[in-house]
């Protein structure tokens, strides 16, 4: 299973669960490695004065580092409560506008952007339109920067093996024997293929970052309460699952576990839009 591949049948519902407790999301969710934004500046040529459209801004976890680099940002966020927290977090930046809207139907401004950034959000956009909408928002040569984060093997490895018993007991959708994949086994070719099929972008440049965070029991439960799959469980099952996990961390791991993440930065550049009647050029075969 991949953290950035939601069940398409449940995607429209699941993506709205984040707004149910925006303050918890802002408090519990981690940000991103600083090196990612250094590479974003270099690979996507994002810097002072750059016009950026951020899609799925949440509470501003990626917006803030971009604003600190002097970007002029229009950040589109579906949830009203998430947007309100983002406005609070970005209040000191005059060049940041938070828009509460559904990106799929939000009217694109006439002036194109230098970059479109989607941090742990691109997989929540309707796949039928996300490539064309982002391409239409960009100037020729502008950058689409997609950030994807995945839980991978490492950290407290024995815990993540044992905790599957809790998931299999309280979440019937859990595959039996599920384990976090090794970072080297994470394959981002699905995004590369989607970009190529669109005919609207050049080749994808990928940068990878492995990093770890250590959580206390309560901190880890707070993170889990922000995940769409956990929030979508029936209340009784969710409580049983979280109680089971807490008992395991406290009873066998001294109240503290470490989780390893793999974050990918995927950057591609917009090609000129095809003229009416002209077939798109697929960069992989050009």
């Amino acid at each position: 299973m991949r953290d950035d591949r939601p069940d398409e049948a449940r995607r429209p519902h699941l993506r709205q669960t984040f707004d149910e407790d925006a303050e918890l999301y802002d408090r519990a969710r981690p940000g991103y490695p600083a090196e990612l934004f250094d590479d974003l500046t270099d690979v996507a040529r994002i810097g002072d004065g750059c016009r950026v459209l951020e899609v799925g801004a949440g509470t501003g976890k990626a917006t803030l580092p971009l604003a600190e680099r002097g970007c002029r940002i229009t950040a589109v966020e579906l949830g009203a409560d998430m947007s309100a927290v983002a406005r609070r977090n970005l209040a000191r930046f005059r060049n940041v506008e938070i828009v509460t809207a559904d990106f799929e139907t939000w009217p694109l401004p006439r002036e194109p952007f230098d970059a479109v950034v989607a941090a742990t959000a691109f997989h929540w956009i309707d796949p039928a339109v996300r490539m064309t909408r982002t391409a239409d928002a960009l100037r020729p040569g502008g950058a689409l920067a997609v950030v994807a984060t995945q839980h991978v093997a490492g950290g407290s490895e024995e815990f993540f093996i044992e905790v599957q018993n809790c998931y299999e007991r309280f979440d019937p959708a859990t595959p039996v024997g599920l384990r976090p994949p090794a970072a080297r086994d994470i394959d981002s070719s699905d995004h590369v293929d989607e970009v190529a099929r669109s005919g609207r972008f050049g080749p994808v440049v990928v940068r990878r970052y492995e990093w770890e965070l250590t959580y206390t029991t309560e901190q880890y439960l707070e993170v889990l309460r922000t995940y769409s799959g956990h929030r979508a469980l029936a209340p009784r099952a969710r409580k049983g699952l979280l109680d089971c996990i807490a008992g395991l961390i406290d009873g066998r791991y001294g109240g503290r576990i470490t989780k390893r993440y793999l974050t990918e930065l995927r950057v591609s550049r917009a090609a000129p839009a095809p003229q009416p009647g002209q077939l798109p050029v697929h960069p992989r075969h050009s």
Side-chain angles (χ1 to χ4, degrees):
M1 293 183 70
R2 283 277 296 273
D3 296 337
D4 58 349
R5 293 179 186 170
D7 179 351
E8 273 304 305
R10 303 175 69 206
R11 179 182 52 77
H13 166 67
L14 291 177
R15 73 175 190 165
Q16 297 187 55
T17 62
F18 303 110
D19 203 49
E20 295 171 353
D21 195 338
E23 294 290 351
L24 174 64
Y25 186 100
D26 189 54
R27 180 174 69 250
R29 280 289 182 109
Y32 301 94
E35 307 96 291
L36 182 150
F37 295 98
D38 293 337
D39 285 347
L40 188 57
T41 300
D42 180 42
V43 178
R45 299 173 201 156
I46 291 176
D48 190 26
C50 182
R51 292 188 71 247
V52 174
L53 171 61
E54 187 184 2
V55 181
T59 62
K61 297 288 184 178
T63 323
L64 182 59
L66 291 171
E68 290 173 339
R69 284 161 171 77
C71 297
R72 295 179 291 155
I73 305 169
T74 300
V76 179
E77 166 53 43
L78 177 66
D81 289 347
M82 299 278 272
S83 297
V85 176
R87 290 189 187 100
R88 184 187 69 207
N89 290 341
L90 279 298
R92 71 180 189 274
F93 296 98
R94 294 184 178 182
N95 287 333
V96 175
E97 177 189 14
I98 310 295
V99 178
T100 305
D102 180 338
F103 173 69
E104 288 90 337
T105 59
W106 175 65
L108 294 174
R110 289 190 176 184
E111 183 181 359
F113 291 88
D114 299 309
V116 173
V117 176
T120 321
F122 199 68
H123 55 288
W124 294 115
I125 305 170
D126 185 349
V129 301
R130 61 192 175 200
M131 297 307 305
T132 55
R133 289 281 289 170
T134 52
D136 289 346
L138 287 165
R139 62 170 176 78
L144 169 62
V146 173
V147 179
T149 299
Q150 172 82 8
H151 175 203
V152 294
S156 303
E157 293 197 70
E158 285 301 315
F159 164 74
F160 289 106
I161 293 173
E162 290 190 73
V163 78
Q164 288 308 307
N165 293 326
C166 296
Y167 282 95
E168 291 174 20
R169 178 181 175 188
F170 292 101
D171 182 0
T174 302
V176 175
L178 183 67
R179 301 288 184 267
R184 65 179 177 274
D185 294 333
I186 298 298
D187 181 4
S188 56
S189 62
D190 55 338
H191 178 74
V192 174
D193 290 344
E194 183 180 7
V195 169
R197 286 195 306 271
S198 76
R200 300 292 302 274
F201 292 91
V204 180
V205 176
V206 179
R207 297 285 186 270
R208 288 185 155 201
Y209 318 86
E210 286 187 61
W211 50 291
E212 293 184 347
L213 283 178
T214 297
Y215 297 95
T216 66
T217 302
E218 184 53 36
Q219 287 170 339
Y220 190 60
L221 294 186
E222 285 200 334
V223 171
L224 295 182
R225 290 187 184 105
T226 71
Y227 291 164
S228 59
H230 292 66
R231 299 195 67 85
L233 289 173
R236 185 174 179 179
R238 183 168 60 246
K239 183 180 185 306
L241 173 62
L242 296 178
D243 287 348
C244 183
I245 294 171
L248 180 60
I249 298 174
D250 287 338
R252 289 182 52 80
Y253 294 90
R256 191 175 297 267
I257 56 98
T258 298
K259 184 173 182 176
R260 180 172 293 177
Y261 296 92
L262 171 69
T263 296
E264 285 191 336
L265 171 64
R266 308 162 180 172
V267 179
S268 48
R269 296 201 164 276
Q275 299 300 312
Q278 176 184 355
L279 292 176
V281 176
H282 293 268
R284 175 171 285 187
H285 304 113
S286 60

